[in-house]
Amino acid sequence: MKSDLWITEKQTEDLAISFRVKKTLHEEQTDFQHLALVDTYEFGRMLFLDNCVMTSIKDEFVYHEMISLVALNTHPNPEHVLVIGGGDGGAIREIVKHPKVKTATLVEIDGRVIETSKEYLPEIAAAFDNPKVTVLVDDGIKHIQENKNKYDVILVDSTDPVGPAVGLFASDFYKNVYDALREDGIMVAQSESPFMHQDLIKGIHNDLKHIFPLVKLYLAAIPTYPTGLWSFTLASKKHDPQKVNPEDIADTNTRYYNKNIHFAAFVLPNFAAEIFK
Ligand code: AAT
């Protein structure tokens, strides 16, 4: 008989998504947030932080490929890459596969996310032992303030703008990201749903446009995230993702991203393009 236990993310005051739970694998209150690892019938094992979906075994590849590979294949020489947040290791797993990457640094504020992901989500936390990888348990805001002219690509793989992640959506943070990037660096941040978070997306773009010459939104379908349609914001000092030579896109054995998706992801439906009008 199936269990009658469900885990629910309240996406807004008036909307929720529930997953029927096969088994609760782990639950704790860390120094930063409530952490739960559950096995679900529909999406396999899932990580929740403060009752919000962070990732699931079934659809994690979309998010992790899309947050990482668009920038890595836009930069002609992405040797040094930084991930802020992303303690599950999914972005890092995609980054180390790229042939041009020499170092991949992860700065995650909550060490318990890393440890529990290694234990319960080994398919996602698959590359922490790779020699290219350095893991720092620290506040990403602080790391960005302390490092200048260092990275080719910075990915902000953060929780929603509440709690420790609020500062990762602030204009001062983006200025420091600009300075932490080398002269032709690129930043990508997860920027929530264009159905629900238009004001947030607009704010991010307004802030970034004052700092970077090129700012673009791109989309991907992520069923376990609110509304299932997710956005990423790319800010670049020089290289334009839409002017990449398709021949230069590395084949890193992906399940969502490919040469056509690289360009198609930037084609916005009218309602999403209107966010910027
Ligand atoms: N890879 C998809 C999973 C995430 S997790 C985001 C991570 O950001 C969390 O582990 C959280 O601990 C970390 N984090 C939050 N604030 C900071 C900070 N200031 N410095 C470093 N790490 C931080 C993203 C899920 C997106 C959810 C969409 N609904």
Side-chain angles (χ1 to χ4, degrees):
M1 231 203 20
K2 280 189 177 177
S3 84
D4 204 22
L5 187 65
W6 295 71
I7 188 164
T8 297
E9 172 178 344
K10 288 185 183 156
Q11 300 179 335
T12 72
E13 230 176 85
D14 307 302
L15 179 67
I17 185 169
S18 295
F19 306 84
R20 193 198 289 266
V21 175
K22 218 182 250 183
K23 198 175 174 200
T24 304
L25 303 168
H26 181 81
E27 211 186 336
E28 71 176 89
Q29 187 68 42
T30 75
D31 289 343
F32 298 94
Q33 49 213 347
H34 180 264
L35 183 158
L37 269 143
V38 296
D39 193 6
T40 65
Y41 283 93
E42 205 64 66
F43 283 92
R45 276 163 282 134
M46 298 181 74
L47 169 66
F48 284 75
L49 293 176
D50 286 340
N51 301 311
C52 291
V53 177
M54 291 299 116
T55 198
S56 91
I57 289 293
K58 195 165 176 178
D59 71 351
E60 58 89 5
F61 66 96
V62 183
Y63 180 87
H64 293 126
E65 291 175 13
M66 290 304 282
I67 197 169
S68 312
L69 297 177
V70 174
L72 290 182
N73 286 298
T74 297
H75 198 292
N77 212 7
E79 291 185 350
H80 303 291
V81 182
L82 172 69
V83 178
I84 293 174
D88 52 31
I92 285 288
R93 180 196 63 201
E94 296 306 315
I95 292 162
V96 299
K97 284 197 275 178
H98 196 282
K100 288 185 176 162
V101 170
K102 289 187 178 159
T103 69
T105 305
L106 181 93
V107 182
E108 160 65 56
I109 203 166
D110 191 344
R112 292 301 298 151
V113 175
I114 301 171
E115 295 312 318
T116 49
S117 297
K118 281 185 187 170
E119 189 169 350
Y120 297 102
L121 305 169
E123 304 89 332
I124 301 176
F128 282 123
D129 293 335
N130 187 290
K132 294 177 184 175
V133 176
T134 302
V135 176
L136 305 171
V137 176
D138 205 350
D139 188 341
I141 297 167
K142 187 171 142 248
H143 182 84
I144 281 292
Q145 282 166 353
E146 290 168 356
N147 288 274
K148 305 284 170 217
N149 194 27
K150 188 166 178 187
Y151 297 106
D152 299 304
V153 173
I154 296 177
L155 307 175
V156 189
D157 181 2
S158 78
T159 31
D160 308 320
V162 283
V166 171
L168 300 176
F169 291 80
S171 177
D172 280 350
F173 172 72
Y174 297 139
K175 281 186 198 132
N176 289 324
V177 168
Y178 184 94
D179 292 338
L181 286 166
R182 292 160 97 179
E183 63 186 7
D184 61 345
I186 304 174
M187 170 196 130
V188 171
Q190 74 91 353
S191 50
E192 310 278 310
S193 165
F195 275 109
M196 274 180 175
H197 309 110
Q198 294 95 340
D199 289 347
L200 180 83
I201 295 172
K202 202 178 210 164
I204 293 171
H205 279 246
N206 284 341
D207 287 345
L208 283 169
K209 272 193 174 148
H210 289 106
I211 305 167
F212 288 83
L214 191 150
V215 183
K216 288 185 175 173
L217 191 80
Y218 64 92
L219 303 175
I222 304 178
T224 57
Y225 284 178
T227 78
L229 184 67
W230 212 246
S231 80
F232 300 87
T233 297
L234 180 146
S236 176
K237 291 191 183 185
K238 186 172 169 195
H239 307 291
D240 184 339
Q242 292 177 288
K243 291 189 181 147
V244 166
N245 179 353
E247 301 294 309
D248 294 337
I249 293 179
D251 181 358
T252 54
N253 192 21
T254 47
R255 292 172 66 205
Y256 188 91
Y257 177 82
N258 58 38
K259 288 178 196 204
N260 289 327
I261 292 280
H262 177 96
F263 299 98
F266 289 92
V267 179
L268 299 180
N270 292 350
F271 83 93
E274 270 165 24
I275 294 173
F276 308 107
K277 279 185 187 148

mmCIF file of all heavy atoms in Angstrom, residues 9 33 49 53-55 63-64 84-88 107-110 113 138-141 157-160 164-165 168 190 192 225-226 230, ligand 1:
data_model
loop_
_atom_site.group_PDB
_atom_site.id
_atom_site.type_symbol
_atom_site.label_atom_id
_atom_site.label_comp_id
_atom_site.label_asym_id
_atom_site.label_seq_id
_atom_site.Cartn_x
_atom_site.Cartn_y
_atom_site.Cartn_z
ATOM 1 N N GLU A 9 5.138 22.170 -0.873
ATOM 2 C CA GLU A 9 5.741 23.501 -0.934
ATOM 3 C C GLU A 9 4.623 24.496 -1.178
ATOM 4 O O GLU A 9 3.903 24.404 -2.177
ATOM 5 C CB GLU A 9 6.783 23.620 -2.062
ATOM 6 C CG GLU A 9 7.248 25.077 -2.231
ATOM 7 C CD GLU A 9 8.318 25.316 -3.290
ATOM 8 O OE1 GLU A 9 8.962 24.343 -3.741
ATOM 9 O OE2 GLU A 9 8.520 26.493 -3.655
ATOM 10 N N GLN A 33 18.849 26.675 8.056
ATOM 11 C CA GLN A 33 17.541 26.382 7.468
ATOM 12 C C GLN A 33 17.071 24.977 7.853
ATOM 13 O O GLN A 33 17.853 24.166 8.343
ATOM 14 C CB GLN A 33 17.631 26.502 5.937
ATOM 15 C CG GLN A 33 18.824 25.753 5.342
ATOM 16 C CD GLN A 33 19.401 26.427 4.101
ATOM 17 O OE1 GLN A 33 18.802 27.316 3.510
ATOM 18 N NE2 GLN A 33 20.584 25.995 3.678
ATOM 19 N N LEU A 49 14.628 22.724 1.266
ATOM 20 C CA LEU A 49 15.162 23.646 2.274
ATOM 21 C C LEU A 49 14.038 24.600 2.661
ATOM 22 O O LEU A 49 13.404 25.200 1.771
ATOM 23 C CB LEU A 49 16.362 24.423 1.733
ATOM 24 C CG LEU A 49 17.628 23.590 1.452
ATOM 25 C CD1 LEU A 49 18.717 24.467 0.819
ATOM 26 C CD2 LEU A 49 18.164 22.910 2.701
ATOM 27 N N VAL A 53 11.244 23.217 -2.648
ATOM 28 C CA VAL A 53 11.977 22.247 -3.472
ATOM 29 C C VAL A 53 13.292 22.860 -3.940
ATOM 30 O O VAL A 53 13.304 23.931 -4.553
ATOM 31 C CB VAL A 53 11.156 21.872 -4.728
ATOM 32 C CG1 VAL A 53 11.958 20.928 -5.620
ATOM 33 C CG2 VAL A 53 9.819 21.280 -4.358
ATOM 34 N N MET A 54 14.396 22.181 -3.668
ATOM 35 C CA MET A 54 15.675 22.605 -4.218
ATOM 36 C C MET A 54 16.024 21.801 -5.458
ATOM 37 O O MET A 54 16.486 22.333 -6.457
ATOM 38 C CB MET A 54 16.802 22.421 -3.188
ATOM 39 C CG MET A 54 16.713 23.356 -2.013
ATOM 40 S SD MET A 54 16.831 25.094 -2.496
ATOM 41 C CE MET A 54 15.211 25.666 -1.994
ATOM 42 N N THR A 55 15.810 20.485 -5.371
ATOM 43 C CA THR A 55 16.127 19.653 -6.529
ATOM 44 C C THR A 55 15.460 18.297 -6.397
ATOM 45 O O THR A 55 15.090 17.883 -5.290
ATOM 46 C CB THR A 55 17.666 19.532 -6.671
ATOM 47 O OG1 THR A 55 17.989 19.102 -7.981
ATOM 48 C CG2 THR A 55 18.279 18.590 -5.649
ATOM 49 N N TYR A 63 17.888 21.985 -14.638
ATOM 50 C CA TYR A 63 18.397 23.161 -13.915
ATOM 51 C C TYR A 63 19.925 23.197 -13.947
ATOM 52 O O TYR A 63 20.525 24.228 -14.244
ATOM 53 C CB TYR A 63 17.885 23.110 -12.474
ATOM 54 C CG TYR A 63 18.328 24.263 -11.615
ATOM 55 C CD1 TYR A 63 17.605 25.447 -11.581
ATOM 56 C CD2 TYR A 63 19.484 24.181 -10.835
ATOM 57 C CE1 TYR A 63 17.999 26.506 -10.786
ATOM 58 C CE2 TYR A 63 19.888 25.230 -10.046
ATOM 59 C CZ TYR A 63 19.147 26.393 -10.013
ATOM 60 O OH TYR A 63 19.544 27.443 -9.234
ATOM 61 N N HIS A 64 20.561 22.073 -13.652
ATOM 62 C CA HIS A 64 22.018 22.093 -13.497
ATOM 63 C C HIS A 64 22.750 22.270 -14.825
ATOM 64 O O HIS A 64 23.776 22.955 -14.888
ATOM 65 C CB HIS A 64 22.484 20.851 -12.727
ATOM 66 C CG HIS A 64 22.015 20.885 -11.313
ATOM 67 N ND1 HIS A 64 21.296 19.861 -10.725
ATOM 68 C CD2 HIS A 64 22.102 21.859 -10.372
ATOM 69 C CE1 HIS A 64 20.984 20.199 -9.482
ATOM 70 N NE2 HIS A 64 21.450 21.407 -9.248
ATOM 71 N N ILE A 84 28.159 29.941 -6.433
ATOM 72 C CA ILE A 84 27.715 30.410 -5.114
ATOM 73 C C ILE A 84 26.406 29.697 -4.793
ATOM 74 O O ILE A 84 25.460 29.739 -5.586
ATOM 75 C CB ILE A 84 27.525 31.933 -5.132
ATOM 76 C CG1 ILE A 84 28.895 32.578 -5.310
ATOM 77 C CG2 ILE A 84 26.863 32.410 -3.847
ATOM 78 C CD1 ILE A 84 28.840 34.051 -5.483
ATOM 79 N N GLY A 85 26.358 29.045 -3.635
ATOM 80 C CA GLY A 85 25.216 28.185 -3.306
ATOM 81 C C GLY A 85 25.461 26.809 -3.910
ATOM 82 O O GLY A 85 26.595 26.325 -3.922
ATOM 83 N N GLY A 86 24.369 26.217 -4.412
ATOM 84 C CA GLY A 86 24.536 24.963 -5.166
ATOM 85 C C GLY A 86 25.187 23.828 -4.409
ATOM 86 O O GLY A 86 25.889 22.998 -5.003
ATOM 87 N N GLY A 87 24.933 23.757 -3.096
ATOM 88 C CA GLY A 87 25.582 22.746 -2.260
ATOM 89 C C GLY A 87 25.246 21.307 -2.599
ATOM 90 O O GLY A 87 25.933 20.383 -2.159
ATOM 91 N N ASP A 88 24.222 21.091 -3.413
ATOM 92 C CA ASP A 88 23.922 19.716 -3.851
ATOM 93 C C ASP A 88 24.972 19.191 -4.832
ATOM 94 O O ASP A 88 25.074 17.990 -5.054
ATOM 95 C CB ASP A 88 22.521 19.629 -4.460
ATOM 96 C CG ASP A 88 22.284 20.654 -5.555
ATOM 97 O OD1 ASP A 88 23.239 21.031 -6.253
ATOM 98 O OD2 ASP A 88 21.127 21.088 -5.721
ATOM 99 N N VAL A 107 31.144 27.824 -3.231
ATOM 100 C CA VAL A 107 31.029 28.499 -1.935
ATOM 101 C C VAL A 107 29.589 28.364 -1.467
ATOM 102 O O VAL A 107 28.684 29.026 -1.985
ATOM 103 C CB VAL A 107 31.428 29.994 -2.025
ATOM 104 C CG1 VAL A 107 31.344 30.632 -0.651
ATOM 105 C CG2 VAL A 107 32.836 30.141 -2.575
ATOM 106 N N GLU A 108 29.385 27.468 -0.532
ATOM 107 C CA GLU A 108 28.039 27.170 -0.009
ATOM 108 C C GLU A 108 28.011 27.541 1.473
ATOM 109 O O GLU A 108 28.900 27.164 2.228
ATOM 110 C CB GLU A 108 27.754 25.677 -0.231
ATOM 111 C CG GLU A 108 26.655 25.066 0.621
ATOM 112 C CD GLU A 108 25.262 25.621 0.360
ATOM 113 O OE1 GLU A 108 24.799 25.576 -0.785
ATOM 114 O OE2 GLU A 108 24.629 26.103 1.334
ATOM 115 N N ILE A 109 26.982 28.256 1.870
ATOM 116 C CA ILE A 109 26.934 28.755 3.260
ATOM 117 C C ILE A 109 26.654 27.641 4.265
ATOM 118 O O ILE A 109 27.083 27.709 5.412
ATOM 119 C CB ILE A 109 25.884 29.899 3.372
ATOM 120 C CG1 ILE A 109 26.195 30.788 4.577
ATOM 121 C CG2 ILE A 109 24.468 29.358 3.441
ATOM 122 C CD1 ILE A 109 25.443 32.117 4.571
ATOM 123 N N ASP A 110 25.946 26.595 3.814
ATOM 124 C CA ASP A 110 25.473 25.560 4.735
ATOM 125 C C ASP A 110 26.145 24.216 4.424
ATOM 126 O O ASP A 110 25.742 23.505 3.483
ATOM 127 C CB ASP A 110 23.942 25.458 4.595
ATOM 128 C CG ASP A 110 23.315 24.604 5.675
ATOM 129 O OD1 ASP A 110 24.056 23.846 6.336
ATOM 130 O OD2 ASP A 110 22.088 24.689 5.852
ATOM 131 N N VAL A 113 24.118 20.989 3.730
ATOM 132 C CA VAL A 113 23.537 20.709 2.405
ATOM 133 C C VAL A 113 24.514 19.839 1.608
ATOM 134 O O VAL A 113 24.120 18.854 0.965
ATOM 135 C CB VAL A 113 23.227 22.021 1.632
ATOM 136 C CG1 VAL A 113 22.743 21.715 0.222
ATOM 137 C CG2 VAL A 113 22.194 22.857 2.380
ATOM 138 N N ASP A 138 31.137 28.790 3.293
ATOM 139 C CA ASP A 138 31.244 30.210 3.642
ATOM 140 C C ASP A 138 30.094 30.976 2.987
ATOM 141 O O ASP A 138 29.412 30.455 2.104
ATOM 142 C CB ASP A 138 32.592 30.740 3.126
ATOM 143 C CG ASP A 138 33.078 31.949 3.928
ATOM 144 O OD1 ASP A 138 32.303 32.484 4.752
ATOM 145 O OD2 ASP A 138 34.227 32.363 3.719
ATOM 146 N N ASP A 139 29.938 32.208 3.406
ATOM 147 C CA ASP A 139 28.923 33.079 2.805
ATOM 148 C C ASP A 139 29.425 33.579 1.444
ATOM 149 O O ASP A 139 30.503 34.181 1.361
ATOM 150 C CB ASP A 139 28.673 34.258 3.755
ATOM 151 C CG ASP A 139 27.494 35.106 3.293
ATOM 152 O OD1 ASP A 139 27.112 35.026 2.110
ATOM 153 O OD2 ASP A 139 26.953 35.856 4.137
ATOM 154 N N GLY A 140 28.646 33.325 0.415
ATOM 155 C CA GLY A 140 29.026 33.738 -0.934
ATOM 156 C C GLY A 140 29.214 35.249 -1.056
ATOM 157 O O GLY A 140 30.030 35.721 -1.861
ATOM 158 N N ILE A 141 28.472 35.995 -0.271
ATOM 159 C CA ILE A 141 28.567 37.462 -0.336
ATOM 160 C C ILE A 141 29.964 37.892 0.105
ATOM 161 O O ILE A 141 30.602 38.737 -0.528
ATOM 162 C CB ILE A 141 27.477 38.102 0.551
ATOM 163 C CG1 ILE A 141 26.097 37.727 -0.004
ATOM 164 C CG2 ILE A 141 27.636 39.616 0.648
ATOM 165 C CD1 ILE A 141 24.945 38.021 0.915
ATOM 166 N N ASP A 157 23.805 30.000 -7.859
ATOM 167 C CA ASP A 157 22.855 28.884 -7.737
ATOM 168 C C ASP A 157 22.275 28.952 -6.328
ATOM 169 O O ASP A 157 22.625 28.186 -5.443
ATOM 170 C CB ASP A 157 23.627 27.576 -7.963
ATOM 171 C CG ASP A 157 22.732 26.348 -7.889
ATOM 172 O OD1 ASP A 157 21.515 26.502 -7.710
ATOM 173 O OD2 ASP A 157 23.268 25.232 -7.991
ATOM 174 N N SER A 158 21.386 29.916 -6.145
ATOM 175 C CA SER A 158 20.969 30.259 -4.777
ATOM 176 C C SER A 158 19.527 29.882 -4.506
ATOM 177 O O SER A 158 18.739 29.663 -5.429
ATOM 178 C CB SER A 158 21.122 31.758 -4.561
ATOM 179 O OG SER A 158 20.044 32.422 -5.160
ATOM 180 N N THR A 159 19.204 29.829 -3.224
ATOM 181 C CA THR A 159 17.814 29.677 -2.812
ATOM 182 C C THR A 159 17.040 30.936 -3.204
ATOM 183 O O THR A 159 17.605 31.929 -3.659
ATOM 184 C CB THR A 159 17.742 29.476 -1.287
ATOM 185 O OG1 THR A 159 18.813 30.181 -0.673
ATOM 186 C CG2 THR A 159 17.902 28.025 -0.907
ATOM 187 N N ASP A 160 15.725 30.892 -2.983
ATOM 188 C CA ASP A 160 14.884 32.050 -3.294
ATOM 189 C C ASP A 160 15.291 33.219 -2.395
ATOM 190 O O ASP A 160 15.930 33.014 -1.363
ATOM 191 C CB ASP A 160 13.412 31.661 -3.075
ATOM 192 C CG ASP A 160 13.060 30.384 -3.829
ATOM 193 O OD1 ASP A 160 13.528 30.231 -4.968
ATOM 194 O OD2 ASP A 160 12.354 29.532 -3.266
ATOM 195 N N PRO A 164 19.320 33.635 4.132
ATOM 196 C CA PRO A 164 20.713 33.947 3.793
ATOM 197 C C PRO A 164 20.922 34.339 2.332
ATOM 198 O O PRO A 164 21.979 34.841 1.957
ATOM 199 C CB PRO A 164 21.465 32.640 4.118
ATOM 200 C CG PRO A 164 20.434 31.568 4.099
ATOM 201 C CD PRO A 164 19.161 32.223 4.524
ATOM 202 N N ALA A 165 19.922 34.116 1.486
ATOM 203 C CA ALA A 165 20.083 34.399 0.056
ATOM 204 C C ALA A 165 19.626 35.800 -0.341
ATOM 205 O O ALA A 165 19.834 36.214 -1.484
ATOM 206 C CB ALA A 165 19.335 33.355 -0.771
ATOM 207 N N LEU A 168 22.071 37.895 -2.094
ATOM 208 C CA LEU A 168 22.533 37.405 -3.400
ATOM 209 C C LEU A 168 21.700 37.984 -4.545
ATOM 210 O O LEU A 168 21.968 37.735 -5.709
ATOM 211 C CB LEU A 168 22.485 35.875 -3.439
ATOM 212 C CG LEU A 168 23.347 35.135 -2.409
ATOM 213 C CD1 LEU A 168 23.119 33.632 -2.493
ATOM 214 C CD2 LEU A 168 24.828 35.436 -2.609
ATOM 215 N N GLN A 190 20.151 32.169 -11.122
ATOM 216 C CA GLN A 190 18.779 31.663 -11.265
ATOM 217 C C GLN A 190 17.860 32.823 -10.875
ATOM 218 O O GLN A 190 18.101 33.517 -9.898
ATOM 219 C CB GLN A 190 18.572 30.394 -10.421
ATOM 220 C CG GLN A 190 18.447 30.578 -8.914
ATOM 221 C CD GLN A 190 17.005 30.753 -8.463
ATOM 222 O OE1 GLN A 190 16.094 30.862 -9.289
ATOM 223 N NE2 GLN A 190 16.807 30.825 -7.167
ATOM 224 N N GLU A 192 14.135 32.809 -10.908
ATOM 225 C CA GLU A 192 12.744 32.514 -10.567
ATOM 226 C C GLU A 192 11.819 32.435 -11.795
ATOM 227 O O GLU A 192 12.284 32.363 -12.921
ATOM 228 C CB GLU A 192 12.234 33.515 -9.524
ATOM 229 C CG GLU A 192 13.183 33.676 -8.317
ATOM 230 C CD GLU A 192 13.055 32.601 -7.247
ATOM 231 O OE1 GLU A 192 11.935 32.333 -6.813
ATOM 232 O OE2 GLU A 192 14.080 32.019 -6.866
ATOM 233 N N TYR A 225 9.695 23.184 -9.938
ATOM 234 C CA TYR A 225 9.774 24.571 -9.459
ATOM 235 C C TYR A 225 8.460 25.302 -9.743
ATOM 236 O O TYR A 225 7.756 24.937 -10.702
ATOM 237 C CB TYR A 225 10.937 25.315 -10.142
ATOM 238 C CG TYR A 225 12.321 24.964 -9.632
ATOM 239 C CD1 TYR A 225 13.448 25.534 -10.206
ATOM 240 C CD2 TYR A 225 12.517 24.073 -8.579
ATOM 241 C CE1 TYR A 225 14.730 25.229 -9.751
ATOM 242 C CE2 TYR A 225 13.793 23.762 -8.119
ATOM 243 C CZ TYR A 225 14.888 24.341 -8.702
ATOM 244 O OH TYR A 225 16.150 24.038 -8.251
ATOM 245 N N PRO A 226 8.144 26.316 -8.962
ATOM 246 C CA PRO A 226 6.858 27.002 -9.133
ATOM 247 C C PRO A 226 6.563 27.382 -10.590
ATOM 248 O O PRO A 226 7.387 28.010 -11.244
ATOM 249 C CB PRO A 226 7.035 28.260 -8.259
ATOM 250 C CG PRO A 226 7.965 27.801 -7.169
ATOM 251 C CD PRO A 226 8.919 26.855 -7.830
ATOM 252 N N TRP A 230 11.093 28.240 -15.687
ATOM 253 C CA TRP A 230 12.085 28.909 -14.848
ATOM 254 C C TRP A 230 12.960 29.830 -15.665
ATOM 255 O O TRP A 230 13.162 29.618 -16.860
ATOM 256 C CB TRP A 230 12.957 27.852 -14.149
ATOM 257 C CG TRP A 230 13.407 28.344 -12.810
ATOM 258 C CD1 TRP A 230 14.689 28.633 -12.433
ATOM 259 C CD2 TRP A 230 12.584 28.642 -11.681
ATOM 260 N NE1 TRP A 230 14.703 29.091 -11.131
ATOM 261 C CE2 TRP A 230 13.424 29.109 -10.656
ATOM 262 C CE3 TRP A 230 11.203 28.581 -11.445
ATOM 263 C CZ2 TRP A 230 12.940 29.499 -9.407
ATOM 264 C CZ3 TRP A 230 10.730 28.966 -10.206
ATOM 265 C CH2 TRP A 230 11.595 29.416 -9.205
HETATM 266 N N1 AAT B 1 21.096 23.283 -7.264
HETATM 267 C C1 AAT B 1 19.771 23.666 -6.986
HETATM 268 C C2 AAT B 1 19.604 23.911 -5.552
HETATM 269 C C3 AAT B 1 19.579 25.156 -5.009
HETATM 270 S S1 AAT B 1 20.243 25.231 -3.488
HETATM 271 C C4 AAT B 1 20.752 26.835 -3.171
HETATM 272 C C5 AAT B 1 21.810 26.843 -2.079
HETATM 273 O O1 AAT B 1 22.189 28.204 -1.836
HETATM 274 C C6 AAT B 1 21.394 26.274 -0.717
HETATM 275 O O2 AAT B 1 22.140 25.118 -0.440
HETATM 276 C C7 AAT B 1 21.703 27.401 0.283
HETATM 277 O O3 AAT B 1 22.239 26.932 1.496
HETATM 278 C C8 AAT B 1 22.709 28.231 -0.507
HETATM 279 N N2 AAT B 1 22.851 29.630 -0.083
HETATM 280 C C9 AAT B 1 21.879 30.491 0.310
HETATM 281 N N3 AAT B 1 22.404 31.676 0.649
HETATM 282 C C10 AAT B 1 23.762 31.584 0.453
HETATM 283 C C11 AAT B 1 24.851 32.484 0.628
HETATM 284 N N4 AAT B 1 24.663 33.736 1.076
HETATM 285 N N5 AAT B 1 26.101 32.050 0.328
HETATM 286 C C12 AAT B 1 26.313 30.785 -0.134
HETATM 287 N N6 AAT B 1 25.304 29.893 -0.316
HETATM 288 C C13 AAT B 1 24.045 30.280 -0.028
HETATM 289 C C14 AAT B 1 18.883 26.301 -5.689
HETATM 290 C C15 AAT B 1 17.411 26.089 -5.654
HETATM 291 C C16 AAT B 1 16.577 27.101 -6.384
HETATM 292 C C17 AAT B 1 15.154 27.020 -5.844
HETATM 293 C C18 AAT B 1 14.140 27.590 -6.733
HETATM 294 N N7 AAT B 1 12.828 27.599 -6.140
#
